[in-house]
Amino acid sequence: MPKFTKLTRSTSGPQECALTGAALLQCPYFNKGSGFPQHERETFSLVGLLPSGINTLDEQARRAYEQYQNCGTALAKNTFLTSLKDQNEVLFYRLVQDHLQEMFPVIYTPTEGDAIANYSRLFRRPEGCFLEITHQEDIEVALDQWGSPEEVDVIACSDGEQILGIGDQGVGAILISVAKLIIYTLCAGIHPNRTLPVVLDVGTDNPGLLNDPLYLGLQQPRVRGEEYDKFIERFIRACRKRFPQAYIHFEDFGLHNARRILDKYTKEIACFNDDVQGTGCVTLAALYSACHVAKYRIQDVRVVMFGAGSAGTGIADQILDAIALEGRKSKEDAMKQIWCVDKQGILLQSETESLTLAQHYYAKPDGEWQGVDKSSLVEIIKTVKPHVLIGTSTKPKAFTREVVQEMAKHVERPIIFPLSNPTRLHEADPKDLVEWTNGRVLTATGSPFPPVKIDGRMREVAECNNSTAFPGIGLGAVLSRAKLMTPAMLVAATKALAAQAPALQDPDAGLLPDVINVREVSVKTAAAVIKQAVKDGLAQEQRIPDNDKELEEWVRDQMWDAQYRPLKKVDWVGASPAALGELGSKRAPVSRQF
Ligand SMILES: NC(=O)C1=CN([C@@H]2O[C@H](COP(=O)(O)OP(=O)(O)OC[C@H]3O[C@@H](n4cnc5c(N)ncnc54)[C@H](O)[C@@H]3O)[C@@H](O)[C@H]2O)C=CC1
Ligand SMILES: CC(=O)C(=O)O
Ligand SMILES: [Mg+2]
């Protein structure tokens, strides 16, 4: 019996269902397949539509796992899982939860990147909400299809310009919104039917897609400037009107839009840019634990950010704040410890006109770099002697042996995070980093890597991916019904994450919590965010317990878990959208499929 009764987002107890027969079997929200018990088969007119054997969810998951294993490639496995989700949502989440470590790279980076790149080729059934810049007047009509105002908790949206390190993928970006929402459910128990994936189709500059006759998005160059801003504004206003409680997650926008959009809307609504803020939080958490192992104080470290785009400057901002806070320094002084490098080399003040606003901040006086080849990473390392080198450049193998060994000459424990995704774009392989530094390196990577052997011991390589941070942060925002997502709430989340790093206990363990423990990690992250929201007067939810232990229980009680719930039959006439299987459903309602 749950301790907290009548919680809005409670997910136990019977579900009302108005569907029967074949329509019920085709509704992934209710469908249990061979798991329907006999009495439900009779009540819901399923007699004759299923083989007589009745399976438990565990048995079904075992069968599905065998089928999964028979898929020859990672992409085939990804397609299999997509179609399983389309048939039986509970079974999909149960299967993935049971094999999280193995399946995470298949439903997320790197394989999801391949699925996105092949979206128009692999397309079977639409999932999510498609909004086009050429039909802005339809935004509200389109959103109206996705449930009543209180039924959507999280909206993930992308314009597809910089997907997972593989660049412009146009309308295929719907799948990054879908994947991020799946992770909210898997890793933080956000109810899968209270989320809405959106693609903001503004065209594409990807020549492959522009010339592909099967491409499904707007086959025109990307719209930019005023018209683009007007589209985003209309979308945000429509979301506020239609789903006033929804927390908006921005994903994989291009360099010139990601930060601008976040800066504009973060002051007025609860929103979050995952590449900027999620990556910033998780990387700072990994840095805190690396500093613990290396016995560095964060306020003393010198940092080189290689690749100063959305993720790079987002991380730099978080580290900057931490240096200033922990060292009681001004931001100007803290800034002297961070060097941002982009395609042209170190960012310099003479070039500020060509820099984005976020980069502008980090540009160095030209005088400091006279006589140095500021475009050579080795020279930069020689000059700066950094403790920390972070890659978000999409330039594979940029951290060469020479770069790494130069760094290791100046510091005892080089901290090196190659974060570019997918795996083939990583700035370095952890195995090489360990070999080149005789095991002195402390590393974490953007996609999963196996542990590395050092002197007969295994050193874990933590996955430093925003997926460790954003689910718990979002859960905190949703449960507290936070009015805004503030820097203080992100600091609270980062500290909660850092406090759970296995490396705090064992220096060979990961610098961040493992994906396998992520649900419990999310509980603590969410609790930290909620506490901060309450403290800052930003929580609209009235019933938040003030005792820490109770708060965590309250969070756990509202996390959706992959279990079958008993079905209660209700009449079709007058049935709620939920009973018709339309509750925030990620597909268009059955009647509107094409
Ligand atoms: N591990 C994680 O959680 C995350 C990883 N990423 C990864 O980081 C990478 C960058 O993503 P975003 O920042 O969103 O993209 P972005 O396009 O905003 O930034 C990339 C930056 O790298 C620069 N760059 C390109 N070639 C370079 C080179 N040869 N040397 C130095 N800089 C170079 C670009 O000019 C740009 O400023 C991607 O691979 C992405 O998958 C992004 C977000 C989260
Ligand atoms: C992980 C992520 O958000 C990215 O690579 O864009
Ligand atoms: Mg991203």
Side-chain angles (χ1 to χ4, degrees):
M1 181 67 187
K3 177 166 178 179
F4 305 95
T5 49
K6 298 206 179 68
L7 290 175
T8 329
R9 290 172 180 81
S10 245
T11 53
S12 52
Q15 279 176 297
E16 291 190 344
C17 175
L19 301 181
T20 54
L24 176 55
L25 295 179
Q26 278 172 29
C27 176
Y29 176 52
F30 288 127
N31 183 26
K32 303 179 183 177
S34 60
F36 276 111
Q38 191 56 36
H39 66 277
E40 286 185 353
R41 293 176 183 216
E42 286 158 19
T43 312
F44 289 91
S45 309
L46 297 172
V47 175
L49 299 184
L50 289 161
S52 61
I54 297 177
N55 290 135
T56 62
L57 184 53
D58 280 347
E59 287 164 344
Q60 289 181 302
R62 220 178 311 144
R63 177 187 298 118
Y65 188 50
E66 277 178 24
Q67 294 173 5
Y68 171 90
Q69 286 175 308
N70 286 334
C71 300
T73 61
L75 191 53
K77 289 181 162 122
N78 174 289
T79 308
F80 169 78
L81 290 174
T82 300
S83 99
L84 180 61
K85 185 155 73 66
D86 204 24
Q87 291 158 29
N88 180 336
E89 222 160 47
V90 170
L91 178 55
F92 164 80
Y93 281 107
R94 166 58 46 213
L95 177 68
V96 181
Q97 249 167 40
D98 285 351
H99 304 275
L100 198 53
Q101 195 114 36
E102 178 183 353
M103 295 187 182
F104 209 67
V106 174
I107 57 162
Y108 188 45
T109 182
T111 310
E112 189 63 13
D114 295 339
I116 293 170
N118 288 292
Y119 179 71
S120 295
R121 303 261 144 195
L122 299 174
F123 179 83
R124 288 185 189 173
R125 234 152 91 111
E127 189 176 0
C129 179
F130 298 80
L131 302 177
E132 284 112 40
I133 196 161
T134 44
H135 290 91
Q136 298 188 33
E137 66 289 355
D138 291 342
I139 295 177
E140 282 195 34
V141 178
L143 290 180
D144 272 355
Q145 313 234 33
W146 303 94
S148 58
E150 66 291 349
E151 286 174 351
V152 173
D153 288 333
V154 185
I155 297 173
C157 62
S158 177
D159 75 353
E161 191 173 3
Q162 176 50 292
I163 295 287
L164 288 170
I166 56 170
D168 188 341
Q169 299 301 329
V171 77
I174 188 67
L175 293 187
I176 196 62
S177 300
V178 170
K180 293 279 172 172
L181 290 172
I182 289 175
I183 289 169
Y184 271 111
T185 298
L186 273 175
C187 301
I190 298 265
H191 196 300
N193 294 91
R194 298 182 60 90
T195 63
L196 176 57
V198 174
V199 64
L200 298 161
D201 189 353
V202 298
T204 176
D205 290 341
N206 180 331
L209 301 180
L210 286 172
N211 294 317
D212 182 350
L214 286 184
Y215 178 59
L216 284 160
L218 283 180
Q219 218 151 11
Q220 61 173 58
R222 271 183 184 275
V223 176
R224 300 187 187 275
E226 245 177 68
E227 191 60 13
Y228 176 93
D229 289 351
K230 198 173 104 197
F231 180 46
I232 302 293
E233 174 72 10
R234 278 183 90 155
F235 166 64
I236 299 285
R237 295 289 151 238
C239 289
R240 295 305 290 161
K241 185 167 163 206
R242 184 67 205 167
F243 306 116
Q245 297 185 11
Y247 167 75
I248 299 182
H249 171 124
F250 297 111
E251 188 69 41
D252 292 348
F253 283 70
L255 174 62
H256 292 279
N257 292 321
R259 184 63 76 97
R260 263 181 350 101
I261 294 173
L262 176 65
D263 287 349
K264 176 161 182 202
Y265 293 105
T266 194
K267 296 181 203 104
E268 42 175 300
I269 60 172
C271 66
F272 174 81
N273 181 302
D274 188 31
D275 301 288
V276 177
Q277 297 170 301
T279 318
C281 287
V282 75
T283 309
L284 179 59
L287 181 55
Y288 268 119
S289 66
C291 284
H292 173 91
V293 177
K295 301 194 171 54
Y296 298 154
R297 296 187 317 167
I298 203 150
Q299 57 265 45
D300 299 332
V301 297
R302 290 181 299 277
V303 181
V304 170
M305 277 304 321
F306 185 74
S310 309
T313 55
I315 295 168
D317 287 357
Q318 295 279 349
I319 297 178
L320 176 77
D321 285 345
I323 293 176
L325 186 82
E326 306 284 349
R328 297 172 195 276
K329 301 181 191 193
S330 67
K331 279 208 180 188
E332 285 65 35
D333 278 344
M335 192 108 57
K336 293 182 187 143
Q337 293 170 229
I338 301 178
W339 287 261
C340 285
V341 182
D342 210 79
K343 276 183 197 148
Q344 69 274 38
I346 286 278
L347 304 185
L348 292 181
Q349 283 172 357
S350 60
E351 300 159 346
T352 43
E353 269 181 19
S354 60
L355 303 182
T356 64
L357 260 183
Q359 292 173 332
H360 204 274
Y361 210 45
Y362 292 96
K364 299 286 179 201
D366 291 52
E368 290 178 7
W369 287 85
Q370 250 153 29
V372 182
D373 180 359
K374 58 115 188 170
S375 61
S376 150
L377 186 55
V378 182
E379 288 303 310
I380 292 168
I381 299 290
K382 211 179 265 180
T383 310
V384 171
K385 303 183 181 55
H387 304 82
V388 184
L389 172 62
I390 299 174
T392 49
S393 67
T394 66
K395 188 179 176 202
K397 307 276 173 217
F399 299 166
T400 58
R401 179 196 284 263
E402 199 187 356
V403 165
V404 171
Q405 291 187 336
E406 183 60 40
M407 188 173 169
K409 275 187 204 164
H410 306 286
V411 290
E412 184 52 35
R413 300 300 305 265
I415 298 171
I416 306 182
F417 298 161
L419 300 186
S420 286
N421 294 324
T423 319
R424 69 188 153 77
L425 296 187
H426 268 54
E427 286 82 2
D429 185 320
K431 206 159 137 289
D432 292 333
L433 294 177
V434 166
E435 188 193 315
W436 297 337
T437 60
N438 294 323
R440 286 192 285 137
V441 74
L442 290 163
T443 190
T445 50
S447 295
F449 274 87
V452 181
K453 205 166 186 178
I454 305 174
D455 300 334
R457 302 187 318 276
M458 295 312 276
R459 170 91 55 86
E460 292 296 329
V461 179
E463 183 177 345
C464 181
N465 193 294
N466 46 34
S467 57
T468 313
F470 77 76
I473 295 173
L475 180 65
V478 166
L479 295 185
S480 62
R481 291 216 291 118
K483 284 188 202 148
L484 300 172
M485 175 51 66
T486 61
M489 287 153 80
L490 295 175
V491 168
T494 303
K495 292 204 160 167
L497 262 181
Q500 299 176 77
L504 302 189
Q505 265 76 49
D506 169 5
D508 283 330
L511 296 176
L512 286 164
D514 198 78
V515 68
I516 215 80
N517 303 318
V518 69
R519 280 175 80 90
E520 202 41 35
V521 170
S522 293
V523 170
K524 296 203 158 44
T525 309
V529 168
I530 294 169
K531 269 175 77 171
Q532 191 65 41
V534 171
K535 193 168 162 201
D536 296 346
L538 292 169
Q540 299 178 90
E541 170 62 56
Q542 302 296 321
R543 295 160 299 175
I544 299 171
D546 44 18
N547 162 304
D548 282 3
K549 195 159 169 283
E550 285 215 338
L551 174 58
E552 287 186 12
E553 276 179 53
W554 183 81
V555 170
R556 269 185 214 102
D557 254 20
Q558 296 181 84
M559 287 167 74
W560 184 88
D561 199 13
Q563 301 292 345
Y564 287 137
R565 292 164 63 183
L567 296 185
K568 184 176 157 213
K569 190 158 189 303
V570 292
D571 274 349
W572 176 274
V573 180
S576 67
L580 291 166
E582 292 182 1
L583 171 72
S585 169
K586 291 205 228 52
R587 288 144 219 96
V590 177
S591 56
R592 301 192 194 104
Q593 289 281 344
F594 54 88

